[in-house]
Amino acid sequence: MLGESRGVPEDPAGRIVVVLDLGGVTDKAALMDRCARDLALPDWFGRNWDALADSMADPALWPEGAGERGLLVVVQGWRKYAETRPEEWQVAEEIFAEATDRGPGLFVTLGLGESSESLPDQPG
């Protein structure tokens, strides 16, 4: 199933929030590994563009309750990858947009670009 919210507050629209943190990602293989980890994709996830689009758009793989409430995937830490591999990043953005179009209730948004790993620890 697509990953749990990891302490991220739910969005005002009531959708379940999942963070895809791309901090440290510098190539497609690392992107696919991070997607598999952060989105909690099944072992059979093919680690290619088509498999990523299909997995993201499949409500059966979303966290419990997201099919009814909707799912917001927040992509963080993406700027370094976008700068390092602009062609791959363009494909990734297209995959996110396609998944949003195909998956009713799914919305993918880009965070400010910083990785949550680079933020100082927050209490609570």
Side-chain angles (χ1 to χ4, degrees):
M1 285 197 306
L2 285 177
E4 298 302 318
S5 64
R6 291 185 167 178
V8 175
E10 293 180 16
D11 84 318
R15 296 171 291 203
I16 293 177
V17 179
V18 173
V19 174
L20 173 57
D21 189 345
L22 300 184
V25 169
T26 58
D27 61 21
K28 181 181 173 186
L31 171 70
M32 293 298 163
D33 288 344
R34 191 65 56 88
C35 287
R37 183 194 80 184
D38 288 358
L39 303 177
L41 298 175
D43 290 339
W44 49 261
F45 170 61
R47 287 179 162 71
N48 61 59
W49 298 123
D50 289 337
L52 180 59
D54 290 344
S55 295
M56 290 185 73
D58 185 352
L61 299 179
W62 297 357
E64 185 176 333
E68 297 81 38
R69 293 174 45 199
L71 178 63
L72 173 61
V73 177
V74 179
V75 183
Q76 295 181 340
W78 55 271
R79 286 193 192 276
K80 182 80 170 174
Y81 178 57
E83 293 168 1
T84 305
R85 302 283 183 136
E87 298 85 13
E88 288 179 13
W89 177 245
Q90 182 177 4
V91 175
E93 285 185 301
E94 291 170 6
I95 294 298
F96 298 148
E98 177 185 328
T100 298
D101 289 344
R102 291 175 50 199
L106 173 66
F107 186 75
V108 180
T109 188
L110 300 181
L112 297 177
E114 297 301 318
S115 169
S116 63
E117 293 172 4
S118 66
L119 299 176
D121 288 339
Q122 300 293 320

